[in-house]
Amino acid sequence: MTISPRTFSAPPEVQTFDGVLSDFDGTIVDSTDAIVKHWHQIGAELGVDPEVILATSHGRRSIDTMALYDKSKANWEYVNFIEGRIPKEYGSDAKEIPGGRDMLAALQSSGAKWGVVTSGTRALIDGWLGVLGLPHPEMLVVAEDVELGKPDPRCYLLGRKKLGIESSSVVVLEDAPSGIKAGKAAGFKVIALATTHSLDQLKEAGADWVVEDLRSVSVKGVVDGRVQIEIRNALQ
């Protein structure tokens, strides 16, 4: 039996949700080069191989990463300081994920209930939004807002609460397995972007749809307060 190769070719479908919650780094913005330089700098300061740090840092809060190597620096004052300097020092190393700017603009202009749920600190997210001139979400859940980061679901549950949504009819936009697992554990649907991890990792984490990037996801409209999301060329 011949197994057909997986392709991004599923027919368009429209799904309706009460709200949209999006991850930030790897979903809206690609700051990989900046983050690599950042952790090389931190690794040098700590005397730790930066490649060891980078192997597990994506999608994880810096405070949780720091706790593995130097508990004395696993505090919000230090983490906000080091993350706040990333956009200032490495701003030219970040770029938008294709479709990211359009998605934020469409969510903002449509009147949909939406927000960003990120493992980054407020200092980091505010910095990137400013450097890249992206629409600023009114609802933002950042690393310091929850006791446990992704894959724990409480960040996404807090996002739903802040949006005033009581149902589980929420869609999460994510790129990292830890975030996908957090969204699914919260009881939400997850659209995964193949921007930072392998297709196998995204499927194994439980993604409901896998697309190449946000060019395959669009806001069709808001009807009776519910947002209609079109998903095109998903993996099949």
Side-chain angles (χ1 to χ4, degrees):
M1 183 178 70
T2 301
I3 299 176
S4 300
R6 293 181 295 183
T7 59
F8 290 101
S9 58
E13 61 178 293
V14 177
Q15 298 283 338
T16 303
F17 303 97
D18 288 337
V20 179
L21 295 172
S22 178
D23 177 50
F24 190 74
D25 195 11
T27 302
I28 304 297
V29 169
D30 179 2
S31 63
T32 301
D33 292 346
I35 296 302
V36 168
K37 291 179 180 179
H38 160 72
W39 282 119
H40 272 79
Q41 182 178 353
I42 298 300
E45 294 172 4
L46 297 176
V48 177
D49 182 352
E51 296 303 323
V52 173
I53 301 176
L54 286 164
T56 58
S57 63
H58 188 81
R60 170 183 276 175
R61 301 184 306 173
S62 289
I63 197 166
D64 299 326
T65 298
M66 292 305 303
L68 299 175
Y69 305 104
D70 188 343
K71 286 184 167 54
S72 70
K73 290 183 168 62
N75 61 78
W76 290 120
E77 182 180 6
Y78 178 76
V79 169
N80 268 285
F81 166 70
I82 61 171
E83 287 202 353
R85 71 188 185 189
I86 296 172
K88 297 173 184 175
E89 297 182 6
Y90 308 119
S92 61
D93 292 304
K95 57 184 181 291
E96 301 162 24
I97 295 292
R101 181 182 295 272
D102 290 342
M103 173 56 72
L104 292 190
L107 288 168
Q108 190 172 58
S109 64
S110 68
K113 290 184 177 180
W114 72 284
V116 165
V117 177
T118 175
S119 297
T121 58
R122 188 170 299 276
L124 178 64
I125 303 310
D126 285 345
W128 283 133
L129 291 170
V131 166
L132 296 170
L134 292 167
H136 200 295
E138 290 184 16
M139 198 294 290
L140 185 61
V141 174
V142 294
E144 53 264 53
D145 288 337
V146 291
E147 293 179 15
L148 289 176
K150 303 170 184 178
D152 188 274
R154 67 191 70 186
C155 56
Y156 278 117
L157 292 171
L158 177 58
R160 178 182 67 174
K161 181 179 179 181
K162 284 189 168 188
L163 290 178
I165 297 172
E166 296 183 359
S167 74
S168 294
S169 178
V170 175
V171 66
V172 167
L173 308 176
E174 266 285 357
D175 72 295
S178 61
I180 295 167
K181 291 175 182 177
K184 294 302 296 180
F188 305 154
K189 295 290 188 180
V190 178
I191 302 173
L193 279 62
T195 51
T196 60
H197 289 76
S198 72
L199 300 181
D200 286 338
Q201 288 174 310
L202 300 179
K203 293 298 291 183
E204 288 169 8
D208 296 284
W209 300 273
V210 178
V211 296
E212 289 186 273
D213 53 46
L214 285 176
R215 290 174 295 184
S216 294
V217 184
S218 59
V219 178
K220 298 299 289 183
V222 175
V223 178
D224 296 328
R226 307 189 75 214
V227 59
Q228 298 173 330
I229 299 293
E230 183 178 66
I231 305 163
R232 301 176 303 279
N233 298 319
L235 187 70
Q236 66 171 10

mmCIF file of all heavy atoms in Angstrom, residues 17 170-176 179-185 188-193 206-210:
data_model
loop_
_atom_site.group_PDB
_atom_site.id
_atom_site.type_symbol
_atom_site.label_atom_id
_atom_site.label_comp_id
_atom_site.label_asym_id
_atom_site.label_seq_id
_atom_site.Cartn_x
_atom_site.Cartn_y
_atom_site.Cartn_z
ATOM 1 N N PHE A 17 -16.185 30.585 16.308
ATOM 2 C CA PHE A 17 -15.759 30.529 17.702
ATOM 3 C C PHE A 17 -16.229 31.762 18.463
ATOM 4 O O PHE A 17 -16.518 32.803 17.869
ATOM 5 C CB PHE A 17 -14.229 30.441 17.781
ATOM 6 C CG PHE A 17 -13.630 29.283 17.040
ATOM 7 C CD1 PHE A 17 -13.116 29.457 15.756
ATOM 8 C CD2 PHE A 17 -13.593 28.018 17.603
ATOM 9 C CE1 PHE A 17 -12.565 28.391 15.058
ATOM 10 C CE2 PHE A 17 -13.044 26.948 16.917
ATOM 11 C CZ PHE A 17 -12.529 27.136 15.642
ATOM 12 N N VAL A 170 -13.340 28.363 21.791
ATOM 13 C CA VAL A 170 -12.199 29.259 21.597
ATOM 14 C C VAL A 170 -11.191 28.560 20.698
ATOM 15 O O VAL A 170 -10.985 27.347 20.822
ATOM 16 C CB VAL A 170 -11.538 29.611 22.952
ATOM 17 C CG1 VAL A 170 -10.276 30.439 22.746
ATOM 18 C CG2 VAL A 170 -12.527 30.351 23.857
ATOM 19 N N VAL A 171 -10.566 29.312 19.793
ATOM 20 C CA VAL A 171 -9.512 28.737 18.969
ATOM 21 C C VAL A 171 -8.180 29.381 19.344
ATOM 22 O O VAL A 171 -8.095 30.582 19.580
ATOM 23 C CB VAL A 171 -9.790 28.904 17.459
ATOM 24 C CG1 VAL A 171 -9.761 30.358 17.023
ATOM 25 C CG2 VAL A 171 -8.795 28.080 16.628
ATOM 26 N N VAL A 172 -7.166 28.548 19.437
ATOM 27 C CA VAL A 172 -5.815 28.978 19.810
ATOM 28 C C VAL A 172 -4.915 28.888 18.584
ATOM 29 O O VAL A 172 -4.951 27.897 17.843
ATOM 30 C CB VAL A 172 -5.269 28.085 20.943
ATOM 31 C CG1 VAL A 172 -3.776 28.289 21.132
ATOM 32 C CG2 VAL A 172 -6.020 28.359 22.246
ATOM 33 N N LEU A 173 -4.120 29.922 18.367
ATOM 34 C CA LEU A 173 -3.105 29.924 17.307
ATOM 35 C C LEU A 173 -1.752 29.698 17.961
ATOM 36 O O LEU A 173 -1.343 30.488 18.814
ATOM 37 C CB LEU A 173 -3.123 31.257 16.551
ATOM 38 C CG LEU A 173 -4.480 31.730 16.020
ATOM 39 C CD1 LEU A 173 -4.351 33.108 15.377
ATOM 40 C CD2 LEU A 173 -5.045 30.726 15.027
ATOM 41 N N GLU A 174 -1.044 28.657 17.570
ATOM 42 C CA GLU A 174 0.200 28.280 18.247
ATOM 43 C C GLU A 174 1.230 27.724 17.276
ATOM 44 O O GLU A 174 0.887 27.264 16.185
ATOM 45 C CB GLU A 174 -0.071 27.217 19.320
ATOM 46 C CG GLU A 174 -0.295 27.747 20.716
ATOM 47 C CD GLU A 174 0.987 28.205 21.414
ATOM 48 O OE1 GLU A 174 2.071 28.055 20.821
ATOM 49 O OE2 GLU A 174 0.895 28.703 22.545
ATOM 50 N N ASP A 175 2.503 27.757 17.688
ATOM 51 C CA ASP A 175 3.567 27.157 16.890
ATOM 52 C C ASP A 175 4.355 26.107 17.648
ATOM 53 O O ASP A 175 5.058 25.311 17.037
ATOM 54 C CB ASP A 175 4.549 28.235 16.416
ATOM 55 C CG ASP A 175 5.401 28.752 17.562
ATOM 56 O OD1 ASP A 175 4.844 29.368 18.491
ATOM 57 O OD2 ASP A 175 6.633 28.538 17.549
ATOM 58 N N ALA A 176 4.262 26.100 18.982
ATOM 59 C CA ALA A 176 5.102 25.222 19.796
ATOM 60 C C ALA A 176 4.291 24.110 20.446
ATOM 61 O O ALA A 176 3.150 24.322 20.862
ATOM 62 C CB ALA A 176 5.804 26.034 20.885
ATOM 63 N N GLY A 179 2.686 24.987 23.754
ATOM 64 C CA GLY A 179 1.513 25.836 23.643
ATOM 65 C C GLY A 179 0.302 25.093 23.128
ATOM 66 O O GLY A 179 -0.833 25.335 23.560
ATOM 67 N N ILE A 180 0.533 24.182 22.164
ATOM 68 C CA ILE A 180 -0.560 23.361 21.643
ATOM 69 C C ILE A 180 -1.155 22.526 22.779
ATOM 70 O O ILE A 180 -2.378 22.448 22.948
ATOM 71 C CB ILE A 180 -0.059 22.444 20.513
ATOM 72 C CG1 ILE A 180 0.397 23.277 19.314
ATOM 73 C CG2 ILE A 180 -1.142 21.452 20.095
ATOM 74 C CD1 ILE A 180 1.180 22.485 18.279
ATOM 75 N N LYS A 181 -0.289 21.927 23.574
ATOM 76 C CA LYS A 181 -0.745 21.110 24.698
ATOM 77 C C LYS A 181 -1.513 21.954 25.706
ATOM 78 O O LYS A 181 -2.522 21.505 26.277
ATOM 79 C CB LYS A 181 0.448 20.426 25.371
ATOM 80 C CG LYS A 181 1.098 19.349 24.518
ATOM 81 C CD LYS A 181 2.343 18.796 25.182
ATOM 82 C CE LYS A 181 3.024 17.750 24.299
ATOM 83 N NZ LYS A 181 4.287 17.248 24.906
ATOM 84 N N ALA A 182 -1.074 23.187 25.915
ATOM 85 C CA ALA A 182 -1.771 24.087 26.845
ATOM 86 C C ALA A 182 -3.164 24.410 26.334
ATOM 87 O O ALA A 182 -4.145 24.396 27.083
ATOM 88 C CB ALA A 182 -0.967 25.366 27.045
ATOM 89 N N GLY A 183 -3.271 24.705 25.041
ATOM 90 C CA GLY A 183 -4.565 25.011 24.452
ATOM 91 C C GLY A 183 -5.524 23.839 24.505
ATOM 92 O O GLY A 183 -6.700 23.990 24.835
ATOM 93 N N LYS A 184 -5.019 22.654 24.192
ATOM 94 C CA LYS A 184 -5.863 21.459 24.218
ATOM 95 C C LYS A 184 -6.272 21.108 25.649
ATOM 96 O O LYS A 184 -7.412 20.698 25.887
ATOM 97 C CB LYS A 184 -5.140 20.275 23.570
ATOM 98 C CG LYS A 184 -4.890 20.434 22.066
ATOM 99 C CD LYS A 184 -6.185 20.649 21.296
ATOM 100 C CE LYS A 184 -7.103 19.451 21.368
ATOM 101 N NZ LYS A 184 -8.380 19.669 20.609
ATOM 102 N N ALA A 185 -5.349 21.273 26.601
ATOM 103 C CA ALA A 185 -5.674 20.986 28.000
ATOM 104 C C ALA A 185 -6.734 21.939 28.539
ATOM 105 O O ALA A 185 -7.476 21.600 29.470
ATOM 106 C CB ALA A 185 -4.413 21.059 28.866
ATOM 107 N N PHE A 188 -9.741 23.802 24.284
ATOM 108 C CA PHE A 188 -9.958 24.625 23.094
ATOM 109 C C PHE A 188 -9.471 23.909 21.829
ATOM 110 O O PHE A 188 -8.710 22.946 21.890
ATOM 111 C CB PHE A 188 -9.219 25.961 23.231
ATOM 112 C CG PHE A 188 -9.566 26.732 24.480
ATOM 113 C CD1 PHE A 188 -8.652 27.627 25.029
ATOM 114 C CD2 PHE A 188 -10.800 26.562 25.114
ATOM 115 C CE1 PHE A 188 -8.970 28.343 26.180
ATOM 116 C CE2 PHE A 188 -11.122 27.275 26.258
ATOM 117 C CZ PHE A 188 -10.197 28.168 26.804
ATOM 118 N N LYS A 189 -9.898 24.401 20.666
ATOM 119 C CA LYS A 189 -9.363 23.952 19.392
ATOM 120 C C LYS A 189 -8.044 24.680 19.137
ATOM 121 O O LYS A 189 -7.854 25.827 19.572
ATOM 122 C CB LYS A 189 -10.339 24.253 18.257
ATOM 123 C CG LYS A 189 -11.660 23.502 18.344
ATOM 124 C CD LYS A 189 -11.469 22.014 18.066
ATOM 125 C CE LYS A 189 -12.810 21.296 17.965
ATOM 126 N NZ LYS A 189 -12.634 19.839 17.687
ATOM 127 N N VAL A 190 -7.127 24.029 18.436
ATOM 128 C CA VAL A 190 -5.813 24.629 18.186
ATOM 129 C C VAL A 190 -5.448 24.538 16.704
ATOM 130 O O VAL A 190 -5.492 23.456 16.109
ATOM 131 C CB VAL A 190 -4.705 23.949 19.014
ATOM 132 C CG1 VAL A 190 -3.342 24.563 18.690
ATOM 133 C CG2 VAL A 190 -4.994 24.071 20.508
ATOM 134 N N ILE A 191 -5.104 25.697 16.131
ATOM 135 C CA ILE A 191 -4.515 25.756 14.795
ATOM 136 C C ILE A 191 -3.011 25.925 14.987
ATOM 137 O O ILE A 191 -2.563 26.910 15.580
ATOM 138 C CB ILE A 191 -5.068 26.931 13.971
ATOM 139 C CG1 ILE A 191 -6.587 26.837 13.839
ATOM 140 C CG2 ILE A 191 -4.407 26.971 12.590
ATOM 141 C CD1 ILE A 191 -7.222 28.059 13.184
ATOM 142 N N ALA A 192 -2.238 24.963 14.519
ATOM 143 C CA ALA A 192 -0.791 25.008 14.679
ATOM 144 C C ALA A 192 -0.119 25.513 13.411
ATOM 145 O O ALA A 192 -0.513 25.148 12.304
ATOM 146 C CB ALA A 192 -0.246 23.631 15.035
ATOM 147 N N LEU A 193 0.892 26.331 13.588
ATOM 148 C CA LEU A 193 1.674 26.857 12.472
ATOM 149 C C LEU A 193 2.990 26.104 12.379
ATOM 150 O O LEU A 193 3.706 25.946 13.382
ATOM 151 C CB LEU A 193 1.970 28.346 12.677
ATOM 152 C CG LEU A 193 0.869 29.353 12.318
ATOM 153 C CD1 LEU A 193 -0.374 29.138 13.175
ATOM 154 C CD2 LEU A 193 1.379 30.775 12.502
ATOM 155 N N GLY A 206 -1.192 17.384 19.504
ATOM 156 C CA GLY A 206 -2.644 17.391 19.521
ATOM 157 C C GLY A 206 -3.325 18.467 18.711
ATOM 158 O O GLY A 206 -4.531 18.719 18.890
ATOM 159 N N ALA A 207 -2.599 19.126 17.801
ATOM 160 C CA ALA A 207 -3.199 20.197 17.003
ATOM 161 C C ALA A 207 -4.382 19.685 16.192
ATOM 162 O O ALA A 207 -4.357 18.586 15.636
ATOM 163 C CB ALA A 207 -2.156 20.792 16.066
ATOM 164 N N ASP A 208 -5.439 20.506 16.112
ATOM 165 C CA ASP A 208 -6.620 20.149 15.333
ATOM 166 C C ASP A 208 -6.400 20.411 13.850
ATOM 167 O O ASP A 208 -6.936 19.697 12.999
ATOM 168 C CB ASP A 208 -7.824 20.943 15.830
ATOM 169 C CG ASP A 208 -8.181 20.596 17.266
ATOM 170 O OD1 ASP A 208 -8.765 19.519 17.476
ATOM 171 O OD2 ASP A 208 -7.840 21.375 18.178
ATOM 172 N N TRP A 209 -5.668 21.478 13.544
ATOM 173 C CA TRP A 209 -5.280 21.799 12.173
ATOM 174 C C TRP A 209 -3.814 22.212 12.186
ATOM 175 O O TRP A 209 -3.317 22.780 13.166
ATOM 176 C CB TRP A 209 -6.093 22.974 11.608
ATOM 177 C CG TRP A 209 -7.568 22.759 11.546
ATOM 178 C CD1 TRP A 209 -8.290 22.184 10.534
ATOM 179 C CD2 TRP A 209 -8.538 23.149 12.536
ATOM 180 N NE1 TRP A 209 -9.624 22.182 10.832
ATOM 181 C CE2 TRP A 209 -9.815 22.779 12.050
ATOM 182 C CE3 TRP A 209 -8.442 23.791 13.781
ATOM 183 C CZ2 TRP A 209 -10.985 23.015 12.773
ATOM 184 C CZ3 TRP A 209 -9.602 24.018 14.503
ATOM 185 C CH2 TRP A 209 -10.860 23.629 13.991
ATOM 186 N N VAL A 210 -3.112 21.924 11.096
ATOM 187 C CA VAL A 210 -1.733 22.390 10.931
ATOM 188 C C VAL A 210 -1.665 23.137 9.601
ATOM 189 O O VAL A 210 -2.049 22.598 8.557
ATOM 190 C CB VAL A 210 -0.726 21.222 10.928
ATOM 191 C CG1 VAL A 210 0.690 21.748 10.694
ATOM 192 C CG2 VAL A 210 -0.795 20.437 12.234
#
